[in-house]
Amino acid sequence: MPVVLKMDPAKPLPKPKVMTLQELASSYSDKLPVSVTAQCGYYGKNSNMQLSVGETFFIHLMKTTEVVHVVAAGQGIDKYSIPINSSCQLSLIYNPHENVSEALQGYVFKGVMKLASANPLPKVVTTLTAWKKGNTVIEMNEILVVRGINSSKELEVFNMKSNQIKLLPFKCQSKFTTDPRLLYMYLLDIVDNIPGAFPCQVLLQDTDDMRMLSGSRHLKLIKTATEATLLCSYPGTNDHFELPVDLPNVTVTICENDETVKFQLYETTKNIISEYNPAYATCCRDDVAKDVYETQSKMYAAIREGYENKGVHLKFSEEIVRQMEGTAQNTAHRQEQLESNGMQEPKQSLYATLQNGDCMEEVRLANKDYLASLSEEMVIDVLHSMGLPQYEEAFRGITGAAMCKLTEEMLECQLGVKSKLHQIRLMKIVRGEKDCWTMEQHQLYSMTLFSLPSGFKKETNWKLLLLI
């Protein structure tokens, strides 16, 4: 017989623990996803980057990204983070005499003897002339990392392209240069192949999408670092955003969810993981007063082809892994059943069309018609489904038909919706660009996508389908 635990009615229920994002990441990164409520909010660089007190949102997983911290040379104010898998190209600036104009033109060394006597040794050079002696061959335009002088009086260099180490005798007469215009390489090449490279000055390749907001191409790479963010979303949406775990002052409490909300939480998390693009970033790492968000997004979006996941790690619970494996098996089983009956999976349902943001005119009209049919109570249900219960009292007495006539000004001035992000989300519902299904409707729709395994009793409570 099961043991029943009784709560002393005189003893108050324990209050949920209030945590910073850093504390949550440390304690719950292997238990994600969770639903949380903001206890202390955040107001970012613009009206779209706000987190209001009392707002409930989902934290789906933690992402860590290996980056290099960068500032504009000579300024040292605005700090940027460039992922190590960035497609931007940089060249190291050799500046032994603290003369920037000379350094940007580059120095020429006629022979290995001259190069080996330079103080300090350049970290990287390119060859201007070819040279061959025995098995040692130098081609023109080789980019060589200078490792140092060995005990045999040879200069040890490393060719990043061929991944070969070469030993150059002092009598080698090939010409070398530090001209940064001939030394462009990927950031990952610098991190992996040039020991002790940081801090260093570099020249950023002159392309429009890579320029910093300051307009400077002359940068200083400070150090490598690992940055952690939490991938989040609001209930009822598939649009996710990132919160740095070290975001100051923000505190949250973990919510206890019913099965309906838990289902939505896990389904959204699985969708985010399966469709995740490492180039997608919507967070800013810098002080809230500095408007560098646009550049930050560009640098994070510039992911080198073939290296998309290099330095990017996602962390979430084992339960999500098990559910995704089970979903894949069910999908394969459903496809086999359809094919055996000569049928095909529908290419795209109405709901999938909405989730993918394809707001065709007929879809918008259908959404608006459905919104207009909602009662006052159903409008409140929609607010809860969107994770906006704080506006319940303001929307009391508003039917779906009345909601269709709302404007952003009415939301802000008459209903007290001050957050621009909340206004945008609600106006998408009003305009029919987003469906206003409740969480239970979304859940029931998702359930229809999976066939029941053989032997499963039809009268089984539908909530047990969460385990499939």
Side-chain angles (χ1 to χ4, degrees), residues 83-285:
I84 63 168
N85 60 348
S86 172
S87 63
C88 70
Q89 290 192 296
L90 313 135
S91 58
L92 269 65
I93 297 175
Y94 177 64
N95 190 11
H97 305 134
E98 299 298 326
N99 187 320
V100 175
S101 59
E102 279 187 9
L104 293 178
Q105 294 298 316
Y107 297 91
V108 176
F109 302 94
K110 298 179 179 180
V112 170
M113 180 72 77
K114 290 287 187 181
L115 178 58
S117 61
N119 187 21
L121 276 174
K123 288 185 171 66
V124 61
V125 295
T126 189
T127 55
L128 295 176
T129 58
W131 184 84
K132 181 178 181 180
K133 184 74 173 181
N135 294 328
T136 304
V137 179
I138 297 177
E139 305 287 349
M140 286 182 61
N141 302 319
E142 285 190 44
I143 295 180
L144 303 174
V145 177
V146 180
R147 295 283 180 84
I149 303 169
N150 64 18
S151 57
S152 301
K153 297 296 183 181
E154 295 170 316
L155 187 67
E156 183 177 316
V157 295
F158 176 74
N159 186 315
M160 286 188 286
K161 187 174 182 180
S162 64
N163 206 31
Q164 291 181 333
I165 293 176
K166 296 182 179 183
L167 300 176
L168 306 181
F170 279 14
K171 59 184 177 182
C172 170
Q173 293 302 306
S174 181
K175 288 184 180 180
F176 307 88
T177 182
T178 61
D179 187 342
R181 295 164 294 184
L182 304 176
L183 289 171
Y184 286 119
M185 64 191 83
Y186 292 108
L187 185 59
L188 190 59
D189 295 331
I190 298 175
V191 172
D192 285 349
N193 298 313
I194 306 180
F198 304 106
C200 62
Q201 295 187 25
V202 296
L203 189 68
L204 183 67
Q205 190 175 34
D206 190 13
T207 57
D208 292 338
D209 60 333
M210 292 298 175
R211 276 183 179 251
M212 296 296 176
L213 282 183
S214 62
S216 175
R217 294 176 55 214
H218 186 187
L219 309 173
K220 183 177 181 181
L221 306 186
I222 304 172
K223 63 178 181 178
T224 57
T226 299
E227 294 181 347
T229 56
L230 298 170
L231 268 69
C232 312
S233 75
Y234 290 106
T237 73
N238 265 0
D239 300 327
H240 62 278
F241 57 95
E242 296 186 31
L243 291 176
V245 298
D246 56 357
L247 197 63
N249 304 323
V250 176
T251 56
V252 298
T253 55
I254 294 180
C255 305
E256 291 292 334
N257 299 317
D258 59 27
E259 291 299 322
T260 303
V261 177
K262 189 179 294 184
F263 175 84
Q264 185 191 20
L265 171 62
Y266 273 72
E267 286 300 299
T268 308
T269 301
K270 289 186 284 187
N271 288 338
I272 288 176
I273 294 171
S274 61
E275 300 173 4
Y276 183 68
N277 179 2
Y280 184 91
T282 57
C283 69
C284 182
R285 300 293 315 174

Side-chain angles (χ1 to χ4, degrees), residues 279-415:
Y280 184 91
T282 57
C283 69
C284 182
R285 300 293 315 174
D286 305 278
D287 187 274
V288 294
K290 297 185 178 68
D291 189 15
V292 296
Y293 171 75
E294 180 183 352
T295 292
Q296 188 74 1
S297 294
K298 285 183 179 180
M299 299 308 296
Y300 269 83
I303 300 300
R304 184 178 172 190
E305 186 176 355
Y307 293 81
E308 288 84 359
N309 295 304
K310 182 71 174 179
V312 178
H313 307 280
L314 306 181
K315 192 169 185 179
F316 41 85
S317 69
E318 288 294 327
E319 176 61 24
I320 284 291
V321 176
R322 286 193 293 270
Q323 287 200 20
M324 292 187 74
E325 289 174 347
T327 299
Q329 292 172 0
N330 283 330
T331 301
H333 176 66
R334 184 173 70 251
Q335 187 63 36
E336 288 176 5
Q337 287 183 324
L338 289 171
E339 290 177 355
S340 65
N341 294 320
M343 301 170 63
Q344 290 184 347
E345 188 82 20
K347 289 187 176 179
Q348 192 176 47
S349 65
L350 174 62
Y351 178 60
T353 300
L354 293 170
Q355 294 296 76
N356 291 333
D358 187 5
C359 297
M360 300 176 293
E361 186 62 26
E362 56 267 32
V363 175
R364 281 198 294 268
L365 292 175
N367 284 341
K368 292 185 72 173
D369 287 344
Y370 179 71
L371 175 62
S373 70
L374 299 185
S375 65
E376 298 174 15
E377 292 76 14
M378 294 176 75
V379 168
I380 299 302
D381 288 342
V382 170
L383 289 176
H384 281 264
S385 180
M386 295 174 68
L388 302 175
Q390 63 268 40
Y391 302 122
E392 179 176 336
E393 288 303 317
F395 275 75
R396 286 288 179 194
I398 295 179
T399 63
M403 192 172 176
C404 288
K405 300 176 182 179
L406 292 178
T407 64
E408 291 184 12
E409 184 178 357
M410 294 168 68
L411 285 173
E412 183 170 358
C413 300
Q414 298 179 30
L415 297 174

Side-chain angles (χ1 to χ4, degrees), residues 427-461:
M427 287 308 299
K428 282 186 176 182
I429 297 289
V430 171
R431 291 192 294 265
E433 296 173 1
K434 201 78 176 175
D435 70 87
C436 56
W437 288 4
T438 63
M439 286 186 289
E440 193 163 322
Q441 287 172 312
H442 281 299
Q443 182 176 12
L444 288 171
Y445 176 85
S446 298
M447 289 294 96
T448 65
L449 298 180
F450 297 92
S451 58
L452 294 177
S454 58
F456 196 92
K457 296 181 180 179
K458 291 183 180 180
E459 63 268 25
T460 303
N461 189 312

